[in-house]
Amino acid sequence: SFEISGFGLRGLATITSTEPTLANLAEKCAVAIPECSSADDDISKIRHEFELAKQRFINIPEALSSMPKMNPQGIYVNKNLRLDNIQVYGFDYDYTLAHYSSDLQSLIYDLAKQHMVNEFRYPESCMKFKYDPTFPIRGLYYDKQKGCLMKLDFFGSIEPDGCYFGRRKLSRKELENMYGTRHMGREQARVLVGLMDFFCFSEACLIADMVQYFVDAKLEFDASYIYNDVNRAIQHVHRSGLVHRGILADPTRYLLKNGQLLRFLRSLKDKGKKLFLMTNSPYHFVDGGMRYLMEESFGLRDSWRDLFDVVIAKANKPEFYTSEHPFRCYDEGRDTLAFTKVDSFHPEKIYYHGCLKSFLQITKWRGPEVIYFGDHLFSDLRGPSKAGWRTVAIIHELEREIQIQNEDSYRFEQAKFNIIQELLGKFHATVSNNQRSGTCQSLLDELNRERQKAREAMKQMFNRSFGATFVTDTGQESAFSYHIHQYADVYTSKPENFMFYRPEAWLHVPYDIKIMPHHVKVASSLFKS
């Protein structure tokens, strides 16, 4: 369920918020039309405006190329943040300090699939399944009762063209028959599970493929069993170390080297900041990965651990933030945990488990002076946010989505959609359902077709099945964006993007934000002559 009381709905950041809207388009672009009072005359005016707009659709307006571009490496602000107040920087490891190639999702998918066949006795034919990187996006929801994989908007409503049963997209009629309404009420939302972490791509794809198998085989199945088995298999390949061993066995295939990361971490140390690493992964995996990522940057006697004041592995987030588990000192040579009490942290030692309460007691670090970077909105950021830490969501997909948004082709389709949406608003305000003539219905059908074409064009630019991660096909916030607002003070694609900002910078929420700070709304008034 989505609680939105007290939360200001944001919209697309407008570049020129005071520009005239499409309501003035016909007046600016054509001969004046006499004032009319009848519905037929009003429809004629809407038709005239529509024909004028279609003429502008032929070529992308020059105004689009003059619009400012959003920065793919920018830091986008949900809550004001003064960097000069931050004294302590904390980092997750996977998908925060370490970024992976798309091959990792195939590895996770294949290992989980094998586990389901070998241990859960799924049919041998399932071994033929292949991970499809073009299918899932982050932030989808799975209905454990009905077996549907879906994208939700800010209000918890199902995206009309973003609901799949197996690998087949449900039509709007099927969606209506199955759910009655697109809005997921509190009771319906109880059976939904969010797919938010870095396993979510392979998990969503494997769930859909398994559902499709049972559908094709005409076998009865319980949708909750599919989710439970896939989730157990995904957890197994992680906790058993299968994924870790696969990555370390071929780091050049899975890990993406990044020289800027070391520069960023060293710059923080040079400014006297405290750094800590807190991850759910085991130390040997983190050590192997960090050695590979920074092997060309350190001398023989240097180590990545010199960058961090505290290193905590197997932290068991999100329980770390609420439990009272003690810290244990880890002996990497013997691969054992010490029995002595941990009442202080030393940079040369590694710590396992622990809890936030003990962490704060030992370090004496105050909440507002600590900032934590993580990729998982729930296990990484929800706890720190509630504890008073400042939070940074690392969303790797952000760069690509901003690059697409910056393209004139996308902005052109967005402007078309906004124009048609305004015309449809005028139409429905003018004509009631029982007053529609053949002329009215013809215009309505044409407007709906043009709107759908613009929606589909925008969607295909991001992902053919579910569209963009942050917004719906109509430009409204997705449920994933809602959670970013809740738990991330700022968000960006990589930690080292902070190097582009002065260390004493004040990061402010833009005054004109109405949806996500990185998203620009193309005003329909760009189509004026």
Side-chain angles (χ1 to χ4, degrees):
S1 61
F2 297 84
E3 297 176 5
I4 51 180
S5 58
F7 181 78
L9 176 61
R10 296 162 178 255
L12 296 166
T14 54
I15 298 302
T16 52
S17 57
T18 58
E19 285 188 349
T21 63
L22 183 69
N24 311 111
L25 184 61
E27 299 169 18
K28 292 180 176 292
C29 301
V31 180
I33 301 172
E35 289 293 324
C36 307
S37 57
S38 71
D40 286 343
D41 288 337
D42 288 337
I43 290 299
S44 296
K45 289 177 68 176
I46 296 172
R47 165 62 74 179
H48 184 73
E49 289 186 36
F50 184 37
E51 294 302 327
L52 285 173
K54 284 195 292 185
Q55 293 174 27
R56 308 295 186 269
F57 292 169
I58 296 172
N59 297 305
I60 295 176
E62 291 184 7
L64 283 179
S65 56
S66 65
M67 285 185 65
K69 308 292 187 184
M70 302 305 290
N71 181 8
Q73 286 84 41
I75 298 173
Y76 294 96
V77 186
N78 290 323
K79 299 173 187 173
N80 294 342
L81 175 65
R82 288 182 55 174
L83 293 181
D84 59 344
N85 287 341
I86 303 300
Q87 303 304 318
V88 183
Y89 285 73
F91 301 90
D92 182 34
Y93 174 70
D94 292 298
Y95 277 90
T96 300
L97 293 180
H99 282 276
Y100 298 95
S101 71
S102 57
D103 287 336
L104 177 60
Q105 297 302 329
S106 295
L107 175 66
I108 296 170
Y109 181 97
D110 289 341
L111 291 173
K113 173 186 65 180
Q114 291 169 14
H115 187 73
M116 293 180 73
V117 172
N118 296 335
E119 301 299 325
F120 301 160
R121 298 297 185 260
Y122 274 68
E124 190 71 28
S125 57
C126 294
M127 291 296 292
K128 298 177 182 177
F129 296 167
K130 299 291 183 185
Y131 174 67
D132 179 4
T134 68
F135 177 68
I137 62 171
R138 193 195 299 248
L140 298 177
Y141 287 80
Y142 178 68
D143 184 338
K144 292 192 294 182
Q145 197 171 72
K146 294 183 169 67
C148 293
L149 192 65
M150 65 187 71
K151 178 180 175 182
L152 301 181
D153 69 10
F154 175 88
F155 295 103
S157 296
I158 304 171
E159 179 82 328
D161 294 318
C163 185
Y164 282 73
F165 186 64
R167 296 299 293 273
R168 185 178 68 83
K169 183 172 73 174
L170 297 183
S171 68
R172 298 193 179 201
K173 188 67 176 175
E174 289 175 311
L175 196 59
E176 183 181 331
N177 291 338
M178 187 172 288
Y179 289 98
T181 173
R182 288 198 299 114
H183 182 70
M184 301 294 285
R186 190 174 295 271
E187 285 303 314
Q188 288 175 303
R190 294 183 195 278
V191 299
L192 299 183
V193 286
L195 307 177
M196 303 285 173
D197 63 9
F198 74 96
F199 286 142
C200 71
F201 302 97
S202 47
E203 186 174 12
C205 194
L206 189 53
I207 287 172
D209 287 343
M210 287 300 180
V211 169
Q212 191 62 51
Y213 168 81
F214 282 98
V215 171
D216 292 341
K218 296 181 172 56
L219 297 173
E220 289 187 11
F221 67 98
D222 188 309
S224 65
Y225 295 165
I226 299 290
Y227 170 75
N228 292 337
D229 288 345
V230 170
N231 185 257
R232 284 167 56 205
I234 293 281
Q235 293 300 324
H236 168 77
V237 300
H238 178 59
R239 291 171 179 164
S240 67
L242 285 171
V243 169
H244 299 150
R245 289 193 290 273
I247 292 171
L248 294 181
D250 195 357
T252 57
R253 180 178 180 184
Y254 298 112
L255 280 164
L256 301 176
K257 284 196 173 184
N258 178 11
Q260 296 300 313
L261 176 62
L262 176 60
R263 283 187 56 205
F264 171 55
L265 297 177
R266 276 185 168 159
S267 71
L268 293 176
K269 291 293 287 185
D270 292 343
K271 294 182 180 72
K273 307 297 183 182
K274 299 292 185 181
L275 274 67
F276 70 93
L277 173 63
M278 181 168 63
T279 173
N280 285 352
S281 295
Y283 174 73
H284 74 87
F285 173 66
V286 176
D287 183 52
M290 292 294 281
R291 285 174 184 270
Y292 171 76
L293 291 172
M294 300 186 177
E295 63 184 355
E296 294 156 7
S297 305
F298 285 107
L300 292 175
R301 296 187 177 182
D302 295 325
S303 166
W304 65 268
R305 280 172 51 183
D306 296 337
L307 296 168
F308 295 93
D309 298 273
V310 184
V311 175
I312 302 167
K314 284 201 171 182
N316 198 31
K317 296 173 291 183
E319 285 79 7
F320 177 90
Y321 301 111
T322 55
S323 74
E324 296 196 5
H325 294 156
F327 282 101
R328 303 285 296 275
C329 194
Y330 174 69
D331 186 328
E332 57 181 305
R334 298 179 179 179
D335 191 27
T336 58
L337 297 177
F339 293 95
T340 53
K341 182 179 180 180
V342 175
D343 51 17
S344 61
F345 290 136
H346 302 279
E348 69 275 9
K349 293 185 178 180
I350 306 300
Y351 301 94
Y352 266 32
H353 311 316
C355 64
L356 178 64
K357 180 180 178 182
S358 297
F359 182 82
L360 296 178
Q361 287 173 346
I362 294 171
T363 62
K364 304 294 190 294
W365 292 336
R366 295 184 304 107
E369 67 181 5
V370 180
I371 193 167
Y372 188 70
F373 294 67
D375 72 291
H376 195 301
L377 299 178
F378 296 148
S379 66
D380 284 335
L381 302 183
R382 179 163 54 183
S385 178
K386 292 181 177 179
W389 290 2
R390 308 311 301 270
T391 53
V392 184
I394 300 300
I395 312 296
H396 189 60
E397 308 93 289
L398 182 65
E399 280 195 31
R400 176 179 173 270
E401 295 213 353
I402 291 179
Q403 288 165 356
I404 292 171
Q405 285 180 189
N406 284 340
E407 294 293 329
D408 284 351
S409 56
Y410 174 78
R411 295 181 171 194
F412 176 58
E413 295 297 336
Q414 192 190 72
K416 282 171 63 177
F417 178 86
N418 292 337
I419 288 173
I420 297 165
Q421 193 79 336
E422 288 181 21
L423 289 173
L424 280 166
K426 286 185 178 183
F427 180 95
H428 290 297
T430 302
V431 184
S432 62
N433 288 343
N434 55 4
Q435 290 180 324
R436 289 179 189 169
S437 63
T439 303
C440 290
Q441 191 61 47
S442 174
L443 175 59
L444 178 61
D445 292 343
E446 193 173 350
L447 287 168
N448 281 328
R449 281 196 302 271
E450 286 295 326
R451 180 176 64 170
Q452 183 59 29
K453 282 167 59 177
R455 285 181 64 170
E456 188 62 23
M458 288 188 287
K459 175 182 176 178
Q460 292 293 329
M461 293 179 195
F462 294 98
N463 174 280
R464 68 183 187 187
S465 303
F466 296 100
T469 303
F470 296 90
V471 293
T472 65
D473 298 345
T474 59
Q476 300 302 308
E477 277 187 317
S478 66
F480 181 70
S481 293
Y482 170 74
H483 293 304
I484 292 178
H485 279 309
Q486 276 191 306
Y487 304 123
D489 293 341
V490 300
Y491 62 98
T492 188
S493 61
K494 299 187 294 286
E496 55 269 26
N497 291 341
F498 274 70
M499 287 198 303
F500 299 121
Y501 296 77
R502 292 179 294 106
E504 67 277 7
W506 290 26
L507 305 180
H508 287 279
V509 178
Y511 74 94
D512 57 353
I513 291 304
K514 296 181 181 65
I515 290 198
M516 299 297 289
H518 74 273
H519 205 232
V520 177
K521 182 174 182 179
V522 182
S524 59
S525 54
L526 285 171
F527 283 78
K528 64 189 178 186
S529 58

